[in-house]
Amino acid sequence: MLYSLTPMRQQPQINLLRSLSLILVLVLGAIVAVLLHARLPAAAAQLPPSQYASTITAPFNQPDYYPLTQTPPPHYRPVDAWVGRLILPDAAEYQQVEKNQQETDWAWFEVQSAPANAKALMGQTVRLAWQNNPQVQAYVKTASRDVRFVPSAEQAFKSGVINPIRLNGRTQVGPLQSLAGGHPYDDVTVVLRGTVVQEGGREQEAGGSAEEKAEGRGQRAEGGEGGEENSFPTPYSLLPTPHVASIQNSKLKTQNSSPTPHSPTLRLNREPLQETGRFYGLVKILKPVLTKDPQDLPQKCPGAPPCGSDRFQVQHYNPVSRQFDGAREVIRIPQQPPDKDGVFNMSTRDLEESPAGVAGWYVYGALDHAGVFTVQAMKPRILFQLNPQQVVLDYRQGLRYIDVGNWQDAVSRRGSVQTVLVNPNAKTPTTAQANWKLGTRFLVLHNYGGRGGTHAAHESLVAGTYAGHFSFGIGEVVPDPFTNEPILSYDYFQVYGNGVDGMLSGGQTWANYMGNLRRGFMGTRPVSDTLIQLDTLTDDYNFGGTKLSFFNELVAELSLVGARYRIGDGSGDSSITSATSCVQDSAQAVFITLRRFREKVEANPQIVRWMGEHPDDPNADRFRRLVKLAQDLSQQLTPMGVVRWDWDQNADMLTGVHHSNQFISIDNFKLKNLATGLISWRTAMPRQGNDEFAKLFLHNGATLWFLRPNQIGGTDPGIAPLEPTLLLGAWKLPLSNVPLLAYGVIRTLGGVTIPTGLDWLQTIGILLGFSAIALPLGFSTEFFDWQPQHPWYRQLGTLLRFLFVPALVQEYVFRVLLIPYPLDWLPASAWWSWAMLALGLFVGFQWLYARWRWRFWYPAVSTPLLILMTLLGMACTLVYRFTGSLWTITLVHWIAVSAWWLLLGGKQRSPWKKHPPELGRESR
């Protein structure tokens, strides 16, 4: 157009028709440009600086870089039966569907892959909605909220946080809408799990064949179909992924077709799972392939220039030879652009030499317009093989590995993968591994650390602390479709606050959450995934025909919390506070599941009667063990002995007891919220929550499999692993791994537990037993002398002082700080070893104090004094063993000292007198 404008300016006498044609072209071009721009969300047209905004500009991160209609290239497979991109309908479309069909939660679904009997939908955009099952609809209603951004949400978006800006002002935003609208662009790719019903009567199982069940695909349809006992659908896997809509000259909705109100509808009984890529293969990276044109090299990359090629020669796995001697191919593993701070999320430098790739890589992606397979996510095969590098068979060594070994030498292990199996129930490593077989389900504890190193934007410790992140996940041992070997496959249920990378809460595959080149954590953070195999959690229950699943109930609660986080419970902002965080709200899901599951069993007379008639049935035995586990979990999640008010109300709301339909969220910093967070302090720090969950499950008979990738992939000299810590946990004793201050914090918070009625009864019983021994001994040695003080009220000031010194101070120092908190999983012998050491220090302190303050008459009372102080220390130790409370042992100490002072001649023998009294009867 600029070329045609030049002669217009040079020739005033131009043909009128040509001028009109040019004007028409310009007008039409302007209209098209406006329409294209109008398809971009207004708030997203110019995003504030963030990792999301930086990476979305790369062509290979945009959906139309990959032709919509593709068939799996040779040696690759679809990542799942149903794969597609979510597209957010506009407000008018929602209003129309709500008016015509009374349906508020749905989204457009651009079908990129479909089962064989639904191939006709490939390339189409269909409507994705929920099944009309009452249980499914109850879940959608509970998760739906009106979205009205609070000022903090709007301000956070301006600072680069990816809040769901397109949902602001919408009503009844449910799980599908919050997934589709969680980003400024329609860039969320998902896979559909469970039962998928095509409107019109055709029903599809999302992954039914053995091959489709590999890599976590096609896990059994649980939740909507299990009978009346499952009140929520169980999204075995959820999540939103990042495939991004183009910034310029792209329709953002579809490439080949546009949705209409009459588009086919796919109905779900589970929330979609966020995924990356359409196809995946198993390859060995051989070497980078040099390009002829230097302009084809990445312009920016970690390390010193020049950047290496992002084209790599790979060799596919050969199932016949069981080696990587199959077809060779050149694929592209694009170097991602840096974020606004110059940090690269993934490095391709020296990728072929990565120790994590020794057994090959699963590569996820699609074909670009030139037919080159372009990688969007990666997974190291070695991490998921059933071949641990180390097996621990001793219970105590297992506890030690959780405390120390799991994160030991994180920096020196950079770039590597470590896998450790802990099974105290097995005699040999072979038998320990034998329990992990096809079909074995497991719970996942996910904990990641920080991105340290020398980079200018590196993360660092704050007061000796790096919090990290925690979440749960679920998985199963499935056959690998490439090797036909059993492998570990699992998905995450992320409870994630809004951030600058666009990570969304909800269910995510490993490839999407960890291996995504654009924003996954595989290359930038050290990670610990602990796989928990415990039949009481994972196996379904059959009580004489009535089926229940704690596992499914937990998944449903985690999906609900994830949906709440995506929209900040309607505020648009999921903030991290003292009371709400990834680990606190994940723990809340466990707490609510325990309550709902227990009440569901107790309220069913058929189950209660059946268990009474079949006490030896394996289901009854497993349920009794689940009750024990539930009690232990409840004590851990409410360590103060008090249930958090928000957890309590949310549990009542979900079970129909509370009249409110509002899921309580604490997103403001208030004194009440700080106190609320302290009530559940054992899950306040991600590392502590992770480790204590692991110990508790181990104590209840679980087998633990630790998977530890440490910033794996290509090299980036500017970053280094930073392990997550307990509070003040990075400050350790010199030449040791003992985080002394962290232990002090943990033991202090543990000691302030509020005693129960039973705790007080046990305390009184031990106090009476101590008195029955101490009183005769004291009178027989004349250390006690009945001399009540009159009037007693004049001693109140002294008694109040005794409450703090010596009672509270000495019990805090010699019991709470020196003795581990009496948790069930700590071996009794280890606990009593610390207790006897503390008792010796306590008695030694009393001896030194008496020698110093009572030096005039100490020789005459040294023996009875030390005996009585030893008895008092033993009594307090026993009380602490049974109650775990500073308040009970302080009471025992205070009553003993006060009784001696007020009634038994203590005041007369006080070291504070100017002259020491004479001893024995002569002094009376």
Side-chain angles (χ1 to χ4, degrees), residues 404-426:
V404 180
N406 193 31
W407 288 102
Q408 192 170 21
D409 302 326
V411 175
S412 64
R413 290 174 172 176
R414 172 184 171 186
S416 67
V417 168
Q418 62 192 81
T419 58
V420 177
L421 177 61
V422 177
N423 187 350
N425 307 312

Side-chain angles (χ1 to χ4, degrees), residues 269-507:
N269 69 334
R270 296 181 190 162
E271 187 174 312
L273 184 73
Q274 298 171 65
E275 177 61 287
T276 295
R278 303 180 198 177
F279 314 113
Y280 77 121
L282 178 57
V283 303
K284 183 90 168 182
I285 299 176
L286 301 179
K287 61 181 179 180
V289 177
L290 299 179
T291 60
K292 296 180 180 180
D293 188 351
Q295 295 299 320
D296 292 337
L297 296 176
Q299 300 303 303
K300 295 181 179 180
C301 61
C307 299
S309 174
D310 61 2
R311 268 71 171 179
F312 290 85
Q313 185 180 76
V314 300
Q315 194 154 21
H316 287 267
Y317 182 85
N318 184 346
V320 177
S321 66
R322 307 180 70 84
Q323 301 292 330
F324 288 95
D325 57 8
R328 293 195 177 194
E329 179 188 8
V330 175
I331 65 174
R332 186 183 185 191
I333 308 177
Q335 172 61 61
Q336 291 291 323
D339 65 12
K340 63 183 181 65
D341 297 319
V343 176
F344 294 89
N345 192 69
M346 182 67 179
S347 171
T348 58
R349 185 183 293 271
D350 303 323
L351 183 59
E352 71 281 3
E353 300 176 5
S354 171
V358 64
W361 295 90
Y362 298 101
V363 290
Y364 294 70
L367 299 175
D368 64 12
H369 284 282
V372 177
F373 187 83
T374 302
V375 177
Q376 297 168 303
M378 302 175 64
K379 285 175 57 173
R381 178 184 171 218
I382 190 175
L383 191 66
F384 304 95
Q385 291 180 299
L386 295 181
N387 186 26
Q389 299 166 353
Q390 179 185 352
V391 178
V392 177
L393 301 177
D394 180 73
Y395 176 75
R396 290 192 183 182
Q397 291 300 316
L399 293 176
R400 178 170 176 77
Y401 183 81
I402 295 171
D403 277 334
V404 180
N406 193 31
W407 288 102
Q408 192 170 21
D409 302 326
V411 175
S412 64
R413 290 174 172 176
R414 172 184 171 186
S416 67
V417 168
Q418 62 192 81
T419 58
V420 177
L421 177 61
V422 177
N423 187 350
N425 307 312
K427 300 296 184 181
T428 66
T430 302
T431 56
Q433 292 179 237
N435 293 329
W436 296 77
K437 53 190 176 183
L438 288 176
T440 299
R441 297 196 297 183
F442 49 85
L443 184 70
V444 180
L445 308 178
H446 169 71
N447 186 205
Y448 75 46
R451 188 190 66 241
T454 59
H455 194 283
H458 71 276
E459 297 173 344
S460 56
L461 300 168
V462 177
T465 306
Y466 184 82
H469 172 68
F470 173 87
S471 69
F472 285 108
I474 58 171
E476 185 174 344
V477 178
V478 301
D480 185 334
F482 298 99
T483 67
N484 203 34
E485 298 172 345
I487 58 171
L488 302 165
S489 175
Y490 55 93
D491 307 317
Y492 299 105
F493 285 86
Q494 291 295 337
V495 177
Y496 214 86
N498 299 340
V500 297
D501 57 359
M503 187 66 71
L504 295 178
S505 289

